[in-house]
Amino acid sequence: DQQVKQNSPSLSVQEGRISILNCDYTNSMFDYFLWYKKYPAEGPTFLISISSIKDKNEDGRFTVFLNKSAKHLSLHIVPSQPGDSAVYFCAASAWSGAGSYQLTFGKGTKLSVIP
Amino acid sequence: EPEVTQTPSHQVTQMGQEVILRCVPISNHLYFYWYRQILGQKVEFLVSFYNNEISEKSEIFDDQFSVERPDGSNFTLKIRSTKLEDSAMYFCASSIEGFTGEGYTFGSGTRLTVV
């Protein structure tokens, strides 16, 4: 049951160009979406999030777009830098009423930024 | 910057043995989590813990698993009788609130190998 799907396991982009990472979800109860970045031998690091009541959130070079009708979100990185090379996980959360949120993750997309 | 610390970084254990994975969450955080990632798979929620009790657990978190906060600083995950399929990267995470749009802070993980 893949509630959060990242259909591209990998993506290669030239340095300076735009990287677009995509994520689809099926659970309409998700109310928050997050992107995490993960380097080898490290834990996931929070990058940016968006509430389901918004359609765009921007933080420096990173912008997340949410299309609720299509149940689709994307992460744009402009301009891409070699240090952005990592695995990017899309995650979603929904209030379960139990006092804490659990995150549902996609399988990740490995981004390689080529100098 | 505050960190979530996990020890050991790599644990090899024989099938059927008990294993304890240790985590030191960020000191002022109140919510604690364990996630795992089987090689090549997505990051999966195991359990959340608040106020000295489990607030949520997934179907993966069966009777073989338990969590404890024995001394107010450590947060442990115990697997009573390990199986080959328990081999995975286990991530501990913590957050100051039950929900935060900035997600959790993850540790670097413990790679558990069951042989």
Side-chain angles (χ1 to χ4, degrees):
Chain A
D1 175 24
Q2 276 197 78
Q3 294 190 62
V4 177
K5 299 179 201 175
Q6 292 176 259
N7 292 319
S8 298
S10 62
L11 174 68
S12 288
V13 171
Q14 284 290 131
E15 180 179 3
R17 307 293 287 268
I18 184 171
S19 294
I20 300 176
L21 296 104
N22 293 303
C23 179
D24 298 295
Y25 63 96
T26 57
N27 187 346
S28 56
M29 299 301 291
F30 287 141
D31 55 9
Y32 235 97
F33 303 90
L34 305 93
W35 284 95
Y36 280 83
K37 177 179 177 180
K38 185 181 180 306
Y39 293 116
E42 293 184 14
T45 303
F46 171 76
L47 195 57
I48 192 170
S49 65
I50 188 166
S51 162
S52 60
I53 63 172
K54 295 187 175 181
D55 54 20
K56 178 182 174 181
N57 187 27
E58 191 171 351
D59 182 4
R61 296 186 297 114
F62 302 92
T63 303
V64 56
F65 295 92
L66 175 63
N67 182 334
K68 279 188 70 175
S69 61
K71 292 192 173 71
H72 177 84
L73 63 152
S74 60
L75 174 68
H76 292 210
I77 306 173
V78 183
S80 302
Q81 298 173 353
D84 296 329
S85 298
V87 177
Y88 289 78
F89 291 97
C90 173
S93 67
W95 173 249
S96 68
S100 66
Y101 278 71
Q102 58 170 280
L103 296 178
T104 301
F105 284 85
K107 287 191 175 182
T109 297
K110 183 176 182 180
L111 173 65
S112 300
V113 180
I114 303 159
Chain B
E1 191 169 325
E3 289 186 338
V4 173
T5 306
Q6 289 187 244
T7 55
S9 56
H10 191 185
Q11 173 106 33
V12 181
T13 189
Q14 289 218 319
M15 190 169 56
Q17 295 294 304
E18 175 183 285
V19 66
I20 297 176
L21 309 182
R22 292 185 164 79
C23 170
V24 179
I26 293 173
S27 60
N28 63 338
H29 284 189
L30 301 175
Y31 295 81
F32 313 110
Y33 311 84
W34 283 101
Y35 283 75
R36 79 172 185 189
Q37 184 182 24
I38 294 171
L39 187 64
Q41 304 291 316
K42 61 183 179 179
V43 177
E44 300 174 293
F45 170 78
L46 292 178
V47 66
S48 60
F49 190 88
Y50 169 71
N51 201 25
N52 283 319
E53 59 183 24
I54 290 173
S55 40
E56 278 190 280
K57 59 183 181 179
S58 70
E59 61 275 10
I60 302 168
F61 195 88
D62 62 22
D63 292 344
Q64 293 299 312
F65 290 88
S66 63
V67 289
E68 199 176 34
R69 189 155 160 80
D71 57 12
S73 62
N74 290 285
F75 178 51
T76 61
L77 174 69
K78 183 193 290 186
I79 309 174
R80 245 177 289 279
S81 177
T82 49
K83 303 189 280 282
L84 294 176
E85 54 264 38
D86 294 327
S87 295
M89 196 76 174
Y90 287 81
F91 293 105
C92 173
S94 68
S95 65
I96 196 163
E97 301 170 329
F99 170 73
T100 167
E102 293 188 356
Y104 322 137
T105 303
F106 282 87
S108 297
T110 294
R111 179 172 298 286
L112 176 66
T113 303
V114 182
V115 296

